[in-house]
Amino acid sequence: MKKEEMIEQGVDKGSRKKNATDAAAAIERFMETRESYIRALETTIQMLKTKIDFHEKTETDIKQSLDEMVAMQRLANTVSTATDPVSVFESLLELTRQVIPVEESMIFEIGNSKSQTKPFLPNCSDYMNRASQHLLEEGILDWVIEQKRTTVVPDLNTSMAEAGQRNFVVVPIVLRSEAIGVYIIRTGNVRRAFSDHELMLLAILSNQAAVAIENLHNIQKLLDSAGELKNSQAQMLQAAKLASLGELAGGIAHEINNPLQILLGHIALLQQGKDIEHRIEIIRNQVQRIAQITRQLVSFSRS
């Protein structure tokens, strides 16, 4: 074989080897690119799935929250429109139990002196009365009223085994930006179990209770005014009756006085023996006149 032909064959073999190497490298790059593309695609799909799940959960949460708020608002209206203290408190308690577990609860109104709490209902337990007074003396109620902020306070009167397992939720009752009292709830929820959402719902309920309390106060004022007006009317009626009786007594005295004067005159003439039969007839007529006036007076008093 000639030298030139051997050289050409060597070149062809080298070329083919190089081409094969390049092809293998290209295939490897393609496989790496394909795997990277697949991984990127899988990551994108997972992100999209996560976003879809998040939006679906958010939409579900929003719907549940709206349904819950509508139901709470509907029931809360029963609190604000109740016309007696028992109905107000029972409605509020029923709604509260839909938010957190309740062992005891009571609304307490705070007087101007802020030295003593006044339970909304007379059947408040001694335990809740003592607890409210303790919270007042410790300055907790003043802080809640000043800050207008719902606060969770541990019930320190529980046993060591129950420490941290009993809490008071103190909710300010606010009316037109002014706190007029507190709603104290004793619950078995531990402190960390309360969510902002639950505390917000309790605040909404307490605001409805504030409207109801103001309505009750206004109703009581109207009843008091009506009672005072009724007493005034009774006094005026009594005064009018007394005035009428005075006028009637004066008229009767005048009516009876005339026949009496006639009787006295004719009795004097009768004693002198003058025209006896005529005098007796006149005296009889005047006595009958007095009797007639008396019967009319009796008939008037019975009518």
Side-chain angles (χ1 to χ4, degrees):
M1 182 180 293
K2 293 181 178 180
K3 186 177 181 180
E4 290 82 359
E5 290 178 351
M6 291 177 64
I7 292 172
E8 287 178 2
Q9 287 179 356
V11 171
D12 287 343
K13 190 181 290 187
S15 251
R16 285 196 298 271
K17 186 176 180 181
K18 183 177 181 302
N19 290 339
T21 301
D22 291 344
I27 291 172
E28 187 177 351
R29 286 196 300 273
F30 171 77
M31 294 300 293
E32 289 177 354
T33 304
R34 179 174 175 276
E35 289 177 0
S36 298
Y37 176 76
I38 290 173
R39 285 196 298 271
L41 192 59
E42 288 175 346
T43 302
T44 303
I45 291 172
Q46 186 60 40
M47 290 176 59
L48 290 173
K49 186 176 182 300
T50 302
K51 285 185 177 181
I52 290 171
D53 291 342
F54 173 77
H55 286 301
E56 287 179 350
K57 184 179 183 303
T58 302
E59 184 179 352
T60 302
D61 290 345
I62 291 173
K63 186 177 184 302
Q64 289 177 347
S65 296
L66 288 174
D67 291 342
E68 182 182 42
M69 291 295 291
V70 169
M72 292 292 289
Q73 182 62 38
R74 187 181 298 113
L75 291 172
N77 286 337
T78 64
V79 177
S80 60
T81 57
T83 57
D84 64 273
V86 174
S87 298
V88 169
F89 183 72
E90 287 180 349
S91 299
L92 179 60
L93 180 58
E94 178 187 352
L95 291 169
T96 304
R97 283 176 172 151
Q98 296 185 29
V99 181
I100 61 172
V102 179
E103 295 185 355
E104 281 190 275
S105 68
M106 181 53 65
I107 296 171
F108 291 91
E109 297 181 78
I110 309 297
N112 293 330
S113 62
K114 294 186 178 181
S115 60
Q116 190 171 6
T117 57
K118 178 185 176 184
F120 188 59
L121 293 178
N123 61 345
C124 176
S125 71
D126 291 338
Y127 190 89
M128 290 298 289
N129 261 323
R130 290 195 302 271
S132 68
Q133 194 62 32
H134 174 74
L135 293 172
L136 180 64
E137 291 169 358
E138 291 296 317
I140 295 172
L141 296 191
D142 285 341
W143 186 87
V144 169
I145 288 173
E146 181 181 350
Q147 298 295 321
K148 302 180 182 64
R149 180 179 176 183
T150 301
T151 304
V152 180
V153 182
D155 183 0
L156 301 179
N157 292 320
T158 55
S159 64
M160 291 297 294
E162 293 180 318
Q165 301 299 318
R166 295 290 182 275
N167 288 284
F168 291 112
V169 182
V170 186
V171 190
I173 299 177
V174 181
L175 181 67
R176 287 189 290 274
S177 300
E178 290 294 328
I180 62 174
V182 290
Y183 180 36
I184 301 178
I185 307 157
R186 187 172 186 255
T187 177
N189 265 13
V190 294
R191 188 183 185 91
R192 63 179 177 274
F194 294 98
S195 67
D196 292 339
H197 181 65
E198 289 171 338
L199 299 180
M200 180 193 69
L201 289 176
L202 292 174
I204 292 173
L205 295 179
S206 295
N207 289 339
Q208 295 294 328
V211 175
I213 291 171
E214 184 186 41
N215 290 340
L216 292 176
H217 286 169
N218 290 336
I219 290 172
Q220 188 58 50
K221 287 178 182 178
L222 289 174
L223 292 175
D224 293 342
S225 298
E228 292 175 0
L229 179 60
K230 186 176 180 180
N231 291 335
S232 298
Q233 289 175 338
Q235 292 175 0
M236 292 175 63
L237 182 59
Q238 185 65 22
K241 286 182 178 179
L242 291 174
S244 298
L245 286 174
E247 293 178 3
L248 180 62
I252 291 171
H254 178 74
E255 289 294 326
I256 292 178
N257 187 57
N258 286 338
L260 284 177
Q261 294 298 324
I262 294 172
L263 284 173
L264 291 174
H266 284 282
I267 288 172
L269 293 174
L270 186 61
Q271 290 174 342
Q272 296 176 10
K274 296 179 179 180
D275 201 1
I276 294 175
E277 292 184 4
H278 178 63
R279 305 297 172 198
I280 290 174
E281 182 65 25
I282 292 174
I283 289 171
R284 183 184 297 111
N285 291 337
Q286 295 305 314
V287 170
Q288 291 176 349
R289 181 180 173 188
I290 292 173
Q292 178 66 23
I293 293 172
T294 303
R295 284 194 297 271
Q296 289 176 350
L297 178 61
V298 172
S299 177
F300 174 78
S301 65
R302 289 176 178 173
S303 60

